[in-house]
């Protein structure tokens, strides 16, 4: 346990020493020549196949399901330090921490939009409505059933 604690303390010390300096993206020879030919308003750092979302993250096209896709984002120095501290406390790299946190948030958002939660009372009402035998089909349902029988020949 002491080794784990010292590891966290060391990571925190490294993160707290100074905010990371922004790095300029590496440019290939092809990118440099294309940037020289492109007008100054063109986004030289974003590949043609990439899309920038509203938050400024650049998402590149995934060419294969087995090949990892790249996701890049810009953030403030304060946010980088905050993420570094949180990652150090959890014993992860910043990349692992951000990906895990983003995955949790994505799953929660998808569940909030795709899963219907009913109270026990509403659940019983729904089940009773589905299994009720005293309901007569409306005119549209009768018409659809006749069309189906005519098409299928049943």
């Amino acid at each position: 346990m002491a080794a784990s604690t010292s590891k966290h303390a060391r990571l925190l010390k490294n993160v707290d020493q100074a905010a990371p300096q922004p790095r300029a993206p590496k440019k290939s020879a092809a990118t440099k020549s294309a940037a020289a030919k492109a007008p100054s308003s063109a986004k030289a750092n974003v590949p043609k196949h990439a899309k920038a979302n509203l938050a400024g993250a650049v998402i590149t096209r995934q060419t294969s399901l087995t090949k990892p896709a790249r996701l890049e984002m810009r953030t403030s120095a304060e946010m980088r330090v905050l993420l570094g501290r949180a990652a150090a406390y959890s014993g992860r790299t910043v990349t692992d921490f951000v990906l895990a946190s983003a995955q949790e948030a994505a799953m929660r958002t998808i569940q909030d939009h795709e899963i219907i939660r009913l109270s026990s009372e509403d659940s019983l009402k729904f089940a009773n409505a589905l299994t009720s035998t005293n309901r007569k089909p409306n005119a549209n349902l009768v018409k659809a059933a006749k069309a189906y029988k005519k098409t299928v020949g049943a």
Side-chain angles (χ1 to χ4, degrees), residues 34-108:
K37 294 177 188 175
S40 62
S41 63
K43 295 181 180 178
N45 294 339
V46 179
K48 289 181 183 177
H49 63 274
K51 294 180 182 179
N53 67 13
L54 295 177
V58 177
I59 304 171
T60 58
R61 168 179 68 205
Q62 185 174 355
T63 57
S64 168
L65 292 178
T66 58
K67 211 175 188 183
R70 185 166 185 83
L71 173 69
E72 298 175 13
M73 66 183 97
R74 296 191 182 275
T75 185
S76 66
E78 293 84 14
M79 179 60 73
R80 176 67 173 90
V81 170
L82 178 71
L83 293 172
R85 287 180 66 195
Y89 280 130
S90 64
R92 298 177 177 169
T93 64
V94 173
T95 300
D96 289 342
F97 178 80
V98 169
L99 285 175
S101 299
Q103 183 179 16
E104 289 173 21
M107 296 299 290
R108 205 170 33 250

Side-chain angles (χ1 to χ4, degrees), residues 88-154:
Y89 280 130
S90 64
R92 298 177 177 169
T93 64
V94 173
T95 300
D96 289 342
F97 178 80
V98 169
L99 285 175
S101 299
Q103 183 179 16
E104 289 173 21
M107 296 299 290
R108 205 170 33 250
T109 301
I110 290 168
Q111 286 180 351
D112 288 347
H113 286 84
E114 292 182 355
I115 295 176
I116 299 171
R117 289 181 173 78
L118 299 175
S119 67
S120 57
E121 182 182 335
D122 290 337
S123 181
L124 286 173
K125 286 180 184 177
F126 182 72
N128 287 336
L130 288 177
T131 59
S132 176
T133 58
N134 61 356
R135 299 190 106 172
K136 300 288 182 192
N138 64 21
N140 287 338
L141 185 57
V142 171
K143 184 178 174 184
K146 285 181 183 178
Y148 175 77
K149 287 179 182 179
K150 182 179 178 183
T151 304
V152 175

